[in-house]
Amino acid sequence: MTKSDTPPRAIPPANLRPRTRMVHAGTQRTGFDETCEAIFMTSGYVYGTAEEAEAAFATDGLRYVYSRFRNPTVAMFEDRLAAYEGAERCFATGSGMAAVFAAVMCQLKAGDRIVAPHALFGSCLHIVKNLAPQYGIETTLVNGTSAEEWREALSRPANLVFLESPSNPMLEIVDLKLVCDLAHAAGARVVVDNVFATPVFQRPLEFGADIVVYSATKHIDGQGRCLGGAILCDNKFAETLAPFLRHTGPALSPFNAWLLLKGLETMDLRVAAQTEAAQRVAEFLEGHGKIAKALYPNLESHPQYDLARRQMSGGGTLIAFDVADQGTGGKAAAFRLMNGLRIIKISNNLGDSKSLITHPATSTHQKLNDAEKAAVGISPGSLRLSVGLEDAADLIEDLEQALAGA
Ligand SMILES: *Cc1c(COP(=O)(O)O)cnc(C)c1O
């Protein structure tokens, strides 16, 4: 690429299959013809003459001018993820929460209204429930699994629906097609946080969603190395989003963009292997006497198994389960199990190659009061397990020995 070129969007032909696109889409080579994508660790760009600089600013977007706006390594990550998701545009951010905040707030003003389910990642709930009202935006929270409550909430005008499906941590599933249809009839755009389903197993845009957001920190990196986020949308919404990002500056570091770009090359394989193991672990937990309940979208016992089968092509890498109260309280039993594990690590991250377990009531969802916890199904004995790349048999043995001690 020469300096005066329009940076190409290197989207491979549409007939290439997703796994092939994940290896090649978005690649831009420098004059050195490197195989592996380069890290452009630069904040700015130079111009040969003052006239060139003037022209670069006049032809907005045709040249890299500042890495808060655009950067070649970040652009490669954005183009690769857009090609996989089937979205017209992708904007990378420094974290998943930066992506959620920008996607939600760039389009709202005082007097607008958000509808969202109670069952959301803690920080997502904070944005819609506490921050948005500070700006004069009203938020209506519903039970995300109740068609009745969605219908009622969207029977009057709304501007935005924000949802997660499956939800963090208790894997509630929202009927994407139903909610998108109701939202559009009410005049609202739909933003789906697709972290738990992953881009491998669920395409919210195909069910009518307008915008998809990711914490790239999770399965896209997949190896617990860096934070990142992404917003996927069409060209029309990009006109609203791009200036918001440019002027508020939640830019992704080029180094992190490179980690995420390389993460995309193996995401499909990693997530498939983790999901295969998750299915076996979920089946083991479901049949164990000390487990009161196991939730996994691809277990027939999941309350929304049929819906999950309709909109997800796999169960995903996360399992939620309740340890039975053995007379000393659910929390004590859950803590004994966690403390007895040898391979599975205690950590509130997820989507990692290492299996990670967390106790939502005292970690990710500690700030919720008891009624709020109950509303999203978090009990004192609830645990969330993110299944990694270890051999499923070792994970099952680890859980078995820890449960024997619990
Ligand atoms: C982790 C997570 C986020 C936030 O992402 P960060 O990269 O940690 O900022 C948002 N939504 C869901 C569902 C998550 O799991």
Side-chain angles (χ1 to χ4, degrees):
M1 188 177 75
T2 68
K3 63 184 174 178
S4 57
D5 276 343
T6 300
R9 291 198 69 213
I11 305 296
N15 61 347
L16 290 179
R17 290 158 186 85
R19 193 172 288 172
T20 310
R21 289 167 157 256
M22 290 297 255
V23 178
H24 293 284
T27 301
Q28 296 182 43
R29 294 204 164 78
T30 72
F32 295 115
D33 298 324
E34 65 280 354
T35 311
C36 176
E37 296 77 1
I39 306 177
F40 291 91
M41 208 67 213
T42 181
S43 42
Y45 305 84
V46 298
Y47 314 96
T49 62
E51 287 77 9
E52 246 185 57
E54 181 185 27
F57 275 82
T59 55
D60 196 22
L62 289 188
R63 227 177 115 157
Y64 293 103
V65 294
Y66 192 54
S67 287
R68 169 151 49 78
F69 311 161
R70 270 162 74 252
N71 169 282
T73 312
V74 177
M76 287 192 262
F77 166 62
E78 292 170 335
D79 287 347
R80 187 165 292 175
L81 185 56
Y84 190 73
E85 190 82 31
E88 286 175 359
R89 297 293 292 277
C90 175
F91 294 87
T93 56
S95 72
M97 285 323 302
V100 171
F101 184 74
V104 169
M105 296 305 280
C106 76
Q107 56 179 311
L108 297 178
K109 59 181 187 320
D112 282 354
R113 185 165 163 265
I114 302 175
V115 179
H118 290 280
L120 293 177
F121 180 69
S123 297
C124 296
L125 185 66
H126 181 75
I127 288 177
V128 298
K129 190 169 157 240
N130 304 327
L131 279 184
Q134 284 182 30
Y135 297 90
I137 298 157
E138 179 196 339
T139 296
T140 307
L141 293 177
V142 299
N143 170 356
T145 63
S146 161
E148 219 23 67
E149 289 197 25
W150 281 111
R151 250 184 222 110
E152 161 82 30
L154 291 167
S155 63
R156 61 191 177 97
N159 306 83
L160 185 79
V161 166
F162 177 84
L163 65 90
E164 271 169 45
S165 184
S167 69
N168 183 356
M170 300 311 284
L171 307 170
E172 277 185 21
I173 304 200
V174 175
D175 188 330
L176 295 177
K177 173 85 173 62
L178 173 84
V179 172
C180 289
D181 288 349
L182 290 170
H184 293 153
R189 285 200 189 96
V190 180
V191 178
V192 175
D193 178 334
N194 204 37
V195 167
F196 268 47
T198 82
V200 179
F201 293 134
Q202 183 167 274
R203 302 285 168 93
L205 298 176
E206 290 173 8
F207 297 95
D210 302 284
I211 298 140
V212 177
V213 292
Y214 288 106
S215 164
T217 316
K218 312 295 168 54
H219 305 85
I220 293 177
D221 172 43
Q223 288 148 88
R225 302 169 297 188
C226 73
L227 295 178
I231 306 166
L232 294 121
C233 61
D234 62 11
N235 287 318
K236 181 87 187 61
F237 185 69
E239 289 172 20
T240 302
L241 178 62
F244 185 92
L245 293 172
R246 181 181 178 121
H247 299 300
T248 60
L252 177 65
S253 152
F255 183 74
N256 290 359
W258 181 81
L259 290 172
L260 299 172
L261 178 67
K262 302 311 282 180
L264 283 179
E265 291 182 356
T266 57
M267 180 180 70
D268 209 285
L269 294 168
R270 283 185 282 104
V271 167
Q274 287 168 253
T275 297
E276 222 180 282
Q279 178 80 35
R280 286 178 59 193
V281 172
E283 285 165 10
F284 161 77
L285 288 169
E286 182 174 44
H288 196 285
K290 287 187 178 174
I291 301 297
K293 157 176 97 174
L295 291 166
Y296 182 66
N298 201 39
L299 284 183
E300 271 179 59
S301 57
H302 189 289
Q304 295 154 292
Y305 173 73
D306 292 330
L307 175 59
R309 290 294 295 260
R310 274 210 304 281
Q311 62 189 31
M312 296 171 71
S313 57
T317 69
L318 289 133
I319 304 167
F321 60 99
D322 278 15
V323 186
D325 176 351
Q326 293 134 36
T328 51
K331 178 182 167 185
F335 274 29
R336 276 198 302 278
L337 167 61
M338 290 169 86
N339 293 337
L341 292 166
R342 293 171 188 155
I343 297 168
I344 299 167
K345 302 296 172 219
I346 300 171
S347 173
N348 45 285
N349 198 6
L350 62 94
D352 199 303
S353 50
K354 295 180 172 61
S355 289
L356 305 175
I357 197 162
T358 193
H359 184 249
T362 55
S363 62
T364 52
H365 291 68
Q366 193 185 109
K367 300 282 184 298
L368 301 190
N369 63 38
D370 289 347
E372 289 167 330
K373 281 177 189 145
V376 296
I378 299 174
S379 77
S382 298
L383 291 168
R384 185 194 76 194
L385 175 62
S386 168
V387 177
L389 281 169
E390 303 93 340
D391 192 310
D394 286 326
L395 298 177
I396 289 168
E397 279 173 26
D398 194 26
L399 286 161
E400 205 157 32
Q401 64 81 25
L403 280 164

